[in-house]
Amino acid sequence: MLLPGGTRVPADPGPLADSLALSALVAALPIVTLFLLLGVFRVPAWVAALGALAVALLVSIVAYSMPTGQALLTASQGATFALFPLVWTFGTAIWIYRMTVTSGHFDVLRRSFARVSDDQRVQAMVIAFCFGSVLEGLAGQGTPVAITTVMLLALGFGPMKAATVALVANTVPAAFGPLGLPITTLAGVTDLPADELGAMAGRQVPVIALLIPLLLVGMVGGRRALRRTWYVALACGMSFALAQFLTSNFFSVALADIVAGLVSAVVVAVVARVWPPRRDDDQAADPGSAKDVAERPDAPVEVWRAYAPYLVIVAIFGLSQVPAVAGALNSVTVLFDWPGLHLLNVSGEPSSLPVFKFNWLSSTGTLLVLAGLITMAILRVTPRAALVAYGQTLASLRWAILTVCGLLALAFVMNGSGQTATLGTWMAGAGGLFALLSPVLGWLGVALTGSDTSSNSLFGALQVTAAQRAGLDPVLLAAANASGGVIGKMISLQNLTIAASAVGLSGREGDLFRRMFGWSVVLICAMALLVGLQTTPVLSWMVP
């Protein structure tokens, strides 16, 4: 638990009446407020985020005795973190998309995909799941959702369908992307070997990966589509799961998502071409796509230009991970303590929470700007047109930006005041049953922060402590935090906001949340059961 201004965490289990249960109930009020406002009262996402933030501030000041000034400073740090790097990242990604629309090359891309397969079920797997996994493995921070959502939209998917498909697809890659950062972060806060944590996560997440393509096909076309396309979806899930398992266990955790995404894309393309699934007319990407493809053949150079922005993104992020390049980019990173903010950890030592990392050159958003400048040249977009597109992007994202700022301020206040730690400590009191709750803790962390890396930072050490007290394998439960967290991505307000904004559904994040919540609960229950069985002789053979 973290308390401000030199105040140490008390020895009692909670700040209220020496009751951990009562303390957890109070600490949960901001999250309950967020879910109720968004899912029940159907208010706009920015209202839900700011309402939950207000409750979190009240709880931190009244129940946790956090000075008002410190609480507000913590919120300001979270809001600034939302602007950089999060808004900087997904705003720039959507800007690149807008330039492809302005130049007409997104229509070329749509026709190109239609020539390979104009079946929405196949496109959902290749674009949202496979290509999205590559983007998550390279960039993360909302980039896969922002890019794949608008790609699906341009290919004829309805706005709501495009958003829901992209959100579901952006789950299992989150455990290892970008470039293994969630796992290395988990290793850093737990002092456990990163390779062991990655190997364990690689024996949990692929099980869920088997199900995601089947779920995507069902979302696109219903039960009939699933009956006709199950073998393509199964091939997609099995190839992805196998590649993710082998890469994370025997090669490189950092490349697990990239390798899995590329392998499964090739498998889907081959299977769908050799054994094309039967389909109904409404499963074509666009009712007029066949006629459009036939009447508007595109020159090879224009097709190359249409794919170029995404190839440039992959190339730039791949190059940025070369040790020499990464070192140069990070050499100008600035670390500083947030002015006026003073927090202590459980040992009474200065907390690392007030430290703000301004990696202006190596951040995902900056690398996307470089990709955007190269895209301008390739697509022959004038500087004026590019600036207009960026201005339009920011204008369209104004409510999304406010939402993300409120949400990250909420997360920082809950973490800085100790509310998050209270919830985790209360769940850790379940003893041996904590194995079932361990993935749920990661799920909750990602649902709140939008990031598996952040969730691992919040709860990684707690998972290890709880495992040791319960006599369970700490590597298993620490990895379960990352594995359970991936399922929280689909209900994270951050991702919901990005998806809704990308397809012009700002203000309807609540509708997306209600569509996602049921599936998220089903999948987190499946993950909890898997982890629980891995602590028993039934599946203990899966633990390395």
Side-chain angles (χ1 to χ4, degrees):
M1 191 179 301
L2 300 167
L3 293 178
T7 303
R8 297 193 181 206
V9 178
D12 55 84
L16 298 178
D18 294 338
S19 171
L20 181 59
L22 179 60
S23 300
L25 181 63
V26 173
L29 288 177
I31 299 175
V32 173
T33 300
L34 180 67
F35 285 177
L36 286 177
L37 289 176
L38 191 64
V40 178
F41 295 102
R42 303 187 179 187
V43 303
W46 66 270
V47 176
L50 294 181
L53 171 61
V55 173
L57 287 169
L58 184 63
V59 170
S60 67
I61 294 169
V62 176
Y64 283 78
S65 303
M66 190 176 194
T68 303
Q70 293 290 296
L72 293 175
L73 282 172
T74 304
S76 69
Q77 183 187 4
T80 304
F81 181 81
L83 293 174
F84 183 92
L86 296 180
V87 172
W88 179 233
T89 296
F90 72 77
T92 306
I94 295 176
W95 167 62
I96 293 175
Y97 154 73
R98 281 182 175 270
M99 285 196 295
T100 66
V101 173
T102 299
S103 68
H105 285 86
F106 217 96
D107 287 334
V108 177
L109 184 69
R110 175 180 58 82
R111 290 191 291 271
S112 174
F113 270 107
R115 291 185 182 96
V116 175
S117 174
D118 61 350
D119 190 322
Q120 285 192 339
R121 299 166 298 182
V122 176
Q123 291 176 345
M125 287 183 276
V126 172
I127 295 174
F129 187 61
C130 302
F131 184 56
S133 296
V134 174
L135 290 176
E136 181 69 34
L138 289 168
Q141 296 185 0
T143 303
V145 172
I147 290 179
T148 60
T149 301
V150 294
M151 290 181 73
L152 294 173
L153 185 67
L155 289 167
F157 284 66
M160 186 62 70
K161 183 182 289 186
T164 54
V165 166
L167 286 167
V168 171
N170 185 228
T171 49
V172 291
F176 299 103
L179 293 162
L181 181 60
I183 298 300
T184 55
T185 300
L186 185 61
V189 300
T190 61
D191 291 327
L192 296 173
D195 56 346
E196 292 186 16
L197 291 170
M200 189 64 248
R203 302 177 186 214
Q204 295 169 338
V205 176
V207 176
I208 301 299
L210 291 170
L211 307 176
I212 296 300
L214 294 167
L215 179 56
L216 293 178
V217 169
M219 295 176 68
V220 171
R223 293 182 179 179
R224 178 181 296 181
L226 192 56
R227 287 197 300 269
R228 295 179 175 180
T229 323
W230 64 269
Y231 60 93
V232 182
L234 190 60
C236 178
M238 290 182 65
S239 59
F240 185 96
L242 182 60
Q244 193 179 53
F245 162 71
L246 292 175
T247 306
S248 60
N249 275 262
F250 304 109
F251 184 47
S252 169
V253 170
L255 298 177
D257 288 338
I258 299 172
V259 172
L262 294 175
V263 168
S264 58
V266 172
V267 169
V268 172
V270 171
V271 173
R273 177 64 64 91
V274 176
W275 298 287
R278 292 175 54 200
R279 70 180 187 191
D280 299 322
D281 291 339
D282 62 355
Q283 288 158 0
D286 189 330
S289 61
K291 181 179 179 181
D292 189 27
V293 169
E295 294 181 352
R296 298 190 61 181
D298 298 298
V301 66
E302 295 304 317
V303 174
W304 179 85
R305 285 176 176 163
Y307 283 94
Y310 308 101
L311 297 175
V312 168
I313 290 172
V314 172
I316 287 178
F317 280 100
L319 182 63
S320 70
Q321 300 307 310
V322 175
V325 177
L329 293 175
N330 288 315
S331 64
V332 294
T333 295
V334 178
L335 296 175
F336 62 91
D337 292 331
W338 196 251
L341 184 58
H342 305 287
L343 301 175
L344 301 180
N345 60 24
V346 70
S347 302
E349 301 173 349
S351 167
S352 62
L353 282 180
V355 177
F356 192 89
K357 182 179 180 180
F358 185 49
N359 56 331
W360 62 273
L361 188 57
S362 62
S363 76
T364 302
T366 303
L367 296 177
L368 284 173
V369 168
L370 176 58
L373 294 175
I374 297 175
T375 296
M376 285 173 54
I378 294 175
L379 302 186
R380 300 174 183 174
V381 177
T382 65
R384 175 181 172 80
L387 286 174
V388 169
Y390 209 108
Q392 292 173 340
T393 299
L394 292 179
S396 68
L397 293 176
R398 59 188 181 279
W399 297 117
I401 293 172
L402 182 59
T403 300
V404 175
C405 287
L407 180 65
L408 266 295
L410 164 67
F412 271 60
V413 169
M414 289 191 66
N415 191 26
S417 65
Q419 296 170 63
T420 302
T422 296
L423 290 171
T425 304
W426 173 70
M427 294 178 70
L433 291 177
F434 183 67
L436 295 173
L437 296 177
S438 178
V440 178
L441 195 57
W443 175 77
L444 179 64
V446 174
L448 181 63
T449 67
S451 166
D452 208 34
T453 300
S454 298
S455 177
N456 289 344
S457 297
L458 289 176
F459 296 129
L462 179 65
Q463 296 271 15
V464 171
T465 300
Q468 292 170 341
R469 290 177 179 175
L472 300 172
D473 188 335
V475 172
L476 171 62
L477 295 198
N481 193 84
S483 301
V486 304
I487 301 168
K489 291 282 282 187
M490 67 172 70
I491 60 168
S492 158
L493 187 53
Q494 175 184 310
N495 264 12
L496 292 172
T497 301
I498 293 172
S501 300
V503 297
L505 293 177
S506 294
R508 296 188 60 187
E509 293 85 356
D511 293 337
L512 282 174
F513 175 80
R514 286 187 294 277
R515 289 181 179 230
M516 295 290 99
F517 187 75
W519 287 114
S520 186
V521 170
V522 170
L523 291 175
I524 192 57
C525 287
M527 179 61 75
L529 178 61
L530 173 65
V531 174
L533 290 175
Q534 286 177 332
T535 65
T536 71
V538 177
L539 293 181
S540 59
W541 54 268
M542 295 182 67
V543 180

